[in-house]
Amino acid sequence: MEQLAEVISSWGLWQVTIGQIAMWLIAFVLLYLAIKKGVEPLLLLPIGFGIFMANLPLTGLLEEGGLFYIFYHYGIANELIPPLIFLGLGAMTDFGPVLANPKTLLLGAAAQIGVYGAFLGALLLGFTVYEAACIGIIGGADGPTSIFLSANLAPHMMGSVAVAAYSYMALVPIIIPPIAKMLTTKEERAMVMQMNRWPSKAEKILFPILGALIIILLVPASAPLIAMFMLGNLFMESGAVERLTDVSRNALMNIVTIILGVAVGSTMTAAVFLTPKTIGVFIMGVVAFAFATGFGVLLAKLMNLLVKNKVNPLIGAAGVSAVPMAARVVQNMGMEANQQNYLLMHAMGPNVAGVIGTAVAAGAFITALT
Amino acid sequence: MVDWGQATMVAVSGVVSVFAVLFVLQIVVTITGSVTESLAKKQTEKQTG
């Protein structure tokens, strides 16, 4: 009888706290959004389940040597997984639109002004300089980069920053249109752009080599992300390593995505997540996103005052790096204003430039703050 | 207490870094495009001529 009482008293059930139950509910909301609504399911499903498991008592998953500890410690804290995700992204990214119209690279840069605007805004709300940097980078709409920067500067914020980044990426079709419409006239949105030329295979092979050289020489701290991004792209564009291209963008990408999602979810314990700061992250996250979209559009308009071949200012909104969703939203907005307006390929330029820009912004934060 | 001087420097240096990188990249991409295009043109002329 005594033994039975001992077994029953050792159940985790008696250790459950209100905070943990609140985290289960948050986990279930994420699982619902991922499964039922299709909101970034590849990430939100493992993150949601990771949160759920991390908030069960007495599992040992988060203790040194525990499974989730290993995922987090070796995968994220050691900066392994975000660069591997970038390898896969590189093997899926076509830089053709950027090479065809190089000035769209600057539109990817413009969106990063929003990142720094939100960084200053987060400081006003009382976040530390490290936390503010992680909140600002949400505006870049790049999940792996947000996680990479949080791991470097504010690991305690990683869960909320990652969930905010992926949630807002999924909300691109809702966030971009009102801002882009507010900053453009119907005539501007209806402007048709011409594709001047299509880059050669040689240019596409040279780009990842020259790109890595320039970016890493100027911002060395961005090397882990940029090096893998460009390597993945070189795999694809060279056409010489089909197997490596395939494994980078499929098998490897899928494996590291599972570990990344679970590890990020496991950082969201009740004690860390249920704080007023989390609300601040979500508020400033959407501000960062809005700033990034707005600055992209404004720079495109400014560019039109200075260059001969004008661009449709809408493509500036694709400078946030939610690839390819931001470009698709721009395409839809262009067609809404003019049925003959096909902006997708033009918007892909600032869109992929935004990926580079956000990685560089993260590197610049690390350089300045560590 | 926020050190606004340092924070502003972080923001300004970040924006400058991003624009510098992408501006240099733009120039390199433009030059590479022109060079490869002219080389391709010359090769075509050689073959047809």
Side-chain angles (χ1 to χ4, degrees):
Chain A
M1 197 63 189
E2 216 170 86
Q3 265 180 329
L4 182 67
E6 217 169 90
V7 168
I8 291 173
S9 70
S10 72
W11 286 354
L13 183 65
W14 316 122
Q15 307 287 327
V16 176
T17 62
I18 297 288
Q20 286 172 327
I21 293 171
M23 291 309 295
W24 296 354
L25 294 177
I26 290 169
F28 296 153
V29 169
L30 293 184
L31 291 174
Y32 173 79
L33 289 174
I35 297 166
K36 195 75 182 165
K37 298 288 178 189
V39 177
E40 294 285 334
L42 293 177
L43 257 301
L44 289 192
L45 198 153
I47 288 178
F49 203 75
I51 296 170
F52 184 35
M53 290 295 112
N55 287 282
L56 290 175
L58 307 177
T59 59
L61 286 169
L62 304 178
E63 287 161 23
E64 198 168 340
L67 183 67
F68 287 6
Y69 173 88
I70 292 169
F71 283 173
Y72 175 78
H73 188 74
Y74 295 104
I76 297 181
N78 284 346
E79 298 175 11
L80 177 65
I81 291 178
L84 289 178
I85 297 263
F86 260 63
L87 178 76
L89 290 177
M92 288 192 267
T93 301
D94 180 6
F95 281 111
V98 166
L99 301 176
N101 193 359
K103 63 176 176 280
T104 57
L105 280 164
L106 290 180
L107 299 177
Q112 311 314 316
I113 299 176
V115 167
Y116 290 97
F119 161 71
L120 295 174
L123 287 173
L124 278 174
L125 285 186
F127 287 95
T128 67
V129 74
Y130 303 105
E131 293 168 342
C134 299
I135 292 169
I137 209 76
I138 295 172
D142 191 323
T145 306
S146 303
I147 292 166
F148 177 77
L149 189 65
S150 305
N152 270 278
L153 299 182
H156 61 286
M157 302 264 293
M158 185 187 298
S160 48
V161 166
V163 171
Y166 282 109
S167 305
Y168 292 138
M169 279 162 69
L171 292 176
V172 156
I174 296 167
I175 298 172
I176 288 182
I179 298 163
K181 269 188 185 166
M182 193 174 71
L183 297 171
T184 53
T185 61
K186 194 175 177 199
E187 289 71 42
E188 285 173 326
R189 294 196 293 277
M191 186 193 294
V192 175
M193 288 176 69
Q194 302 299 329
M195 188 62 92
N196 299 329
R197 67 184 196 95
W198 194 246
S200 64
K201 188 175 167 65
E203 279 175 78
K204 287 185 158 190
I205 292 173
L206 277 173
F207 180 77
I209 299 167
L210 293 174
L213 178 75
I214 292 162
I215 298 166
I216 294 170
L217 281 181
L218 293 179
V219 185
S222 64
L225 297 178
I226 294 296
M228 299 311 278
F229 190 50
M230 295 304 182
L231 176 62
N233 192 251
L234 189 59
F235 282 168
M236 180 180 78
E237 296 299 353
S238 70
V241 284
E242 284 293 326
R243 280 164 48 193
L244 299 187
T245 308
D246 178 55
V247 83
S248 301
R249 62 182 170 197
N250 293 309
L252 180 64
M253 185 83 156
N254 291 339
I255 291 167
V256 293
T257 298
I258 294 169
I259 299 174
L260 180 79
V262 173
V264 167
S266 76
T267 65
M268 293 167 66
T269 55
V272 173
F273 192 78
L274 296 177
T275 64
K277 281 196 167 179
T278 301
I279 298 167
V281 170
F282 278 84
I283 292 171
M284 285 314 297
V286 76
V287 170
F289 215 104
F291 276 4
T293 305
F295 277 112
V297 175
L298 290 175
L299 188 85
K301 291 180 75 148
L302 178 68
M303 211 181 245
N304 282 346
L305 298 175
L306 306 170
V307 297
K308 203 171 68 183
N309 293 328
K310 299 197 183 316
V311 298
N312 186 316
L314 279 180
I315 69 167
V320 294
S321 49
V323 181
M325 211 189 297
R328 282 197 196 130
V329 170
V330 166
Q331 157 76 11
N332 291 340
M333 290 184 72
M335 282 199 83
E336 204 177 276
N338 173 2
Q339 284 296 310
Q340 305 304 313
N341 203 359
Y342 298 98
L343 291 175
L344 187 64
M345 287 314 285
H346 303 286
M348 282 305 289
N351 210 188
V352 295
V355 178
I356 297 174
T358 309
V360 172
F365 270 131
I366 292 168
T367 306
L369 297 175
T370 56
Chain B
M1 189 68 190
V2 180
D3 179 350
W4 283 103
Q6 189 216 1
T8 311
M9 276 313 295
V10 170
V12 171
S13 64
V15 171
V16 169
S17 298
V18 172
F19 271 92
V21 166
L22 290 170
F23 183 66
V24 174
L25 204 53
Q26 183 199 343
I27 292 169
V28 170
V29 165
T30 306
I31 294 169
T32 314
S34 306
V35 171
T36 52
E37 211 169 28
S38 71
L39 283 176
K41 224 180 242 176
K42 269 183 196 166
Q43 206 162 13
T44 320
E45 278 171 8
K46 232 184 215 176
Q47 281 168 351
T48 52

